Amino acid sequence: MSRALLSISVLCASTALAERWDHRGSIGLLTGFGIEGRAAVGVGLSDTGVRLFPELGGTFALSGTWNIKAAGRLSFLGTVVGLSFLGGVRSTYGDRFKTFFDLDLNVHVLPIVTIGPRVAFGVQYELLEVIGAFACAGVQFGVGPAGARIGFEVMVGLQFRSYLFE
């Protein structure tokens, strides 16, 4: 009996010491808040200035460093509420403190329909094995049937992960 308890204690202690910071096998929930300066012009429309936006999305790990990601944003402070969707990849480098870049396709639905690339660079610190805090800065370009847009953004957020596919 004491041998079994000792074995269980050693196993639990070694598991506690082996913290994991990679994202391999994880699915995640992204939440964030940011500010964007943008200039968008269209046929009879204009949307230029600063907007605040919350972002909600998800990630799916392809490997220890590559994730597929998708998210949606509502943006406020303009003449109308903005709505956009983005999807692409996030590549991370590092252990508990990571740097990353996002490469996304960004689709703005409101107020002017545009589609184009988004590139962002950032840092993430793993608060726990399943929660990371991040900050990033990015740029996006878009064109559409009735206009064009450029935006610069900064954002902070949290990534919650579960290792369901590990």
Side-chain angles (χ1 to χ4, degrees):
M1 179 70 163
S2 65
R3 184 175 279 170
L5 287 175
L6 180 63
S7 296
I8 291 171
S9 298
V10 168
L11 180 62
C12 289
S14 66
T15 302
L17 293 175
E19 293 180 308
R20 115 175 241 192
W21 307 116
D22 70 277
H23 296 181
R24 186 179 318 276
S26 70
I27 60 171
L29 172 70
L30 289 174
T31 62
F33 186 78
I35 186 168
E36 177 192 29
R38 87 265 177 242
V41 293
V43 177
L45 296 171
S46 173
D47 184 40
T48 301
V50 175
R51 284 185 177 261
L52 299 175
F53 64 86
E55 179 177 294
L56 183 63
T59 61
F60 179 78
L62 299 174
S63 68
T65 58
W66 286 94
N67 292 274
I68 293 175
K69 63 185 275 287
R73 291 179 177 176
L74 286 173
S75 54
F76 304 100
L77 298 184
T79 55
V80 297
V81 172
L83 176 64
S84 63
F85 301 95
L86 51 105
V89 294
R90 175 173 283 183
S91 181
T92 59
Y93 300 94
D95 289 320
R96 190 166 191 175
F97 181 79
K98 295 173 173 43
T99 58
F100 67 85
F101 72 86
D102 290 345
L103 241 117
D104 298 312
L105 181 65
N106 201 3
V107 178
H108 285 269
V109 180
L110 293 173
I112 299 172
V113 177
T114 60
I115 185 169
R118 173 186 174 267
V119 178
F121 297 92
V123 294
Q124 180 162 325
Y125 181 74
E126 305 298 348
L127 301 169
L128 301 170
E129 290 181 356
V130 293
I131 301 173
F134 66 90
C136 65
V139 62
Q140 50 185 280
F141 303 96
V143 294
R149 138 188 248 291
I150 184 172
F152 300 94
E153 66 185 58
V154 291
M155 180 177 153
V156 294
L158 295 172
Q159 181 188 34
F160 301 91
R161 291 179 303 281
S162 174
Y163 293 94
L164 293 177
F165 297 106
E166 180 76 355

